[in-house]
Each structure stands twice: as C-alpha cells, then as structure tokens.
Amino acid sequence: MQLRRPLLPGGPCPASPLPALLLLLALQGAAATPARPGGPQDSGWQKDAVLPHGLLQQAARAALHFFNFRVGSPSALRVLSAVQQGRTWINSKKEYQVDLVFTTERYNPEKGEEHLGKCSAQVLFRNEKPRPVVNVTCTRFIEKNTRQQKDYLLYKHMKQLKKSLDVVSMPDSHGHIDPSLRPIWDLAYLGSSYVMWEKTTPSLHYYVAQLSSVKQWRTNEDAIDFDYIVLLHEFSTQEIIPCRVHLVWHPGKPLKVKYHCQGPQAPEEASGTEEGSAVAPT
C-alpha cells in the first residue's frame, strides 16, 4: 500500500526554497560582474583611474580622422573643437579602450557658423601600435544636398581643367593658399585624414603642415585620380614626415587611398580597406 504525503491546507506542498535562492544569488553575482565596455564580459578589462596624458584628445583626433575619411567629402571636413567627456579601460596587454563625446567645427567655417555638433566614439588603442580601431557617430552634419552640390562643383572643376595640376607647394612660404586652390587643399586633406588615422598611436599624432607637390593624373574613368606629397607634423617628436599619397575620388563613392611615408613607423603601403566602422551621421 502506497503512502501519500498529506496536502497542506490551501494547495499543494510548496517547492524547496533552495533552488530559487541559488538562482537569485547567481543573478546578483552576474549583475555585479563588470563587463568589458562595448563587448562581452572580460575580467581582464578594468576602468583606468589614471589616464595617460592627452589620451582623450588623442582618441578624439583619431576618431575624427577616420570619420572624415569615411564620409569622403572635402566639403564636409570637421576639426576637433573640445572633448566633453570620456572614460577609459585598460587590460593586461596595456591596451586602452576609450569611450568619449566631443564637439566639432567645420574645417572651413562660414561666417557666423557655430559648432557642427557632437560626436560619440569608441576607440581601441592596441598598446603602442598604430591604426586604432574606431567606431564613431556624429550628429548635426552639414545639410546633405548642400554637401553634394559643393562636392560636385569641385569634381566638375577638376574634370574640366585643361591641363593637370602641378603645384610646387601649398601653402606658400607666407602661409597663403590661393582661393582657387583651396578645394584642392581640402581634397588633399581628406586623403591625408586616412594617413593620420592609420599612423596615430596613444602617444603620436599628426597635423598637415604643407603639400610639397600636387599633381592630377588623367584617367579614362570618371573618378579624380590625384597624387601629392604631404608633409605631416608629428607633435611628440616635432618631426616633419613626408608621405606620398595617391587617392581616387568621386562624389558619393568611397574614397580610395594608398600612401608611402618615410620613417620607421610607417607601413610600406596602405589602402582604403580598414578595420572598424564610421556610422552615417544623423
């Protein structure tokens, strides 16, 4: 004869509280475990209390160089205005991941124009290696139709040139850029943005100092085939680094860049295939 456990008044016998308690403790433990920012849980990453000097500005510059390259518009170039906030993580390999928000300005601002707006970015510096991994999003971008019209006017101007460009230096010895050559400078700066992003490390950053040679190559394709030598000023070492840059540009299409720089830290050649992504502005 089988004995049955008597039921308690009001319903069936309640289950043991031990499994529920263990589940609750497990959930609390998972919530307390820090996660690597922007990725899966990784206990090797921790918030860095002491930032390397200038790391937030360094990350903002790298993100902006990458953004300018990805947008591919000489009419919509941005420069860094100010870093508003940021936080940094470090792992056992001395890699830094930086989350930050910064403001930008037009590279060629028009009279009375204010800040373009904000950008948010996540930048990963793999120790002292160049070419940081970038994800960046910017808002309040220049009006799309205006940008497309300006880009097309530049494109049309270069395609209608009766002879290829052959400029010795820009700016000249007095720091002056002829207004008729300003669009050419902007296009060269656009291609140089790719070079500066690739060469950036946590301790090295670059600015365009001068174009020592500018030439346009005639091609049978619709794109502008453009070749120039840019002198990059590296601020940490105060060195001037010449880089030969070749770019292929067509309005509305991805920019293609190849380059070769003198110096021990430069890759022999680079192209427009890169790691990371730039999100289209909203």
Side-chain angles (χ1 to χ4, degrees):
M1 177 174 155
Q2 184 179 6
L3 297 177
R4 294 186 179 180
R5 184 176 179 179
L7 297 177
L8 295 177
C13 177
S16 171
L18 183 58
L21 179 60
L22 292 176
L23 178 60
L24 178 61
L25 292 175
L27 291 175
Q28 290 176 343
T33 302
R36 172 183 171 180
Q41 290 185 357
D42 185 349
S43 58
W45 288 84
Q46 59 183 353
K47 194 170 183 180
D48 188 32
V50 181
L51 293 176
H53 179 70
L55 184 62
L56 294 181
Q57 287 77 12
Q58 194 80 325
R61 284 187 288 262
L64 204 49
H65 289 323
F66 183 73
F67 183 85
N68 283 333
F69 162 69
R70 271 299 186 89
V71 173
S73 169
S75 304
L77 289 168
R78 299 176 182 230
V79 293
L80 178 64
S81 175
V83 176
Q84 293 190 325
Q85 63 186 44
R87 53 183 181 174
T88 304
W89 285 262
I90 187 173
N91 64 10
S92 59
K93 299 178 182 179
K94 301 299 182 181
E95 296 176 326
Y96 289 99
Q97 180 162 302
V98 185
D99 289 354
L100 73 162
V101 177
F102 56 92
T103 55
T104 64
E105 295 176 350
R106 285 276 302 278
Y107 184 61
N108 295 317
E110 297 178 0
K111 187 176 180 180
E113 192 173 41
E114 300 294 334
H115 294 317
L116 267 180
K118 291 184 179 180
C119 297
S120 60
Q122 186 176 86
V123 181
L124 174 63
F125 290 106
R126 293 166 290 191
N127 208 316
E128 282 296 324
K129 295 180 180 179
R131 205 170 188 259
V133 180
V134 175
N135 281 278
V136 57
T137 306
C138 295
T139 59
R140 289 186 59 198
F141 200 41
I142 183 175
E143 203 274 324
K144 185 176 180 180
N145 290 335
T146 301
R147 171 170 58 88
Q148 291 176 336
Q149 291 174 1
K150 290 182 177 180
D151 285 348
Y152 180 73
L153 289 176
L154 170 59
Y155 170 79
K156 185 177 179 181
H157 170 73
M158 294 190 71
K159 294 296 289 185
Q160 291 179 345
L161 290 175
K162 295 182 179 179
K163 60 180 181 178
S164 296
L165 296 170
D166 193 357
V167 181
V168 176
S169 64
M170 190 189 314
D172 59 22
S173 58
H174 302 285
H176 176 70
I177 299 177
D178 190 294
S180 64
L181 297 176
R182 185 72 201 205
I184 310 304
W185 170 273
D186 292 346
L187 186 58
Y189 187 93
L190 178 63
S192 301
S193 295
Y194 178 82
V195 182
M196 292 187 286
W197 161 64
E198 280 225 331
K199 292 178 67 62
T200 297
T201 72
S203 59
L204 296 176
H205 70 275
Y206 302 82
Y207 286 92
V208 175
Q210 190 179 46
L211 304 182
S212 64
S213 175
V214 178
K215 293 183 179 180
Q216 178 188 0
W217 291 4
R218 291 291 185 182
T219 64
N220 295 325
E221 300 177 357
D222 291 335
I224 300 298
D225 211 299
F226 195 41
D227 182 68
Y228 60 95
I229 296 177
V230 60
L231 303 181
L232 296 181
H233 183 191
E234 200 292 295
F235 269 60
S236 298
T237 62
Q238 298 301 315
E239 292 183 359
I240 299 297
I241 302 174
C243 300
R244 180 177 295 276
V245 183
H246 179 70
L247 66 84
V248 178
W249 175 72
H250 190 286
K253 294 183 179 181
L255 185 68
K256 298 179 181 180
V257 180
K258 292 184 178 181
Y259 72 92
H260 176 81
C261 296
Q262 295 182 14
Q265 295 182 354
E268 292 186 359
E269 188 173 86
S271 66
T273 303
E274 70 291 317
E275 188 174 354
S277 63
V279 181
T282 58

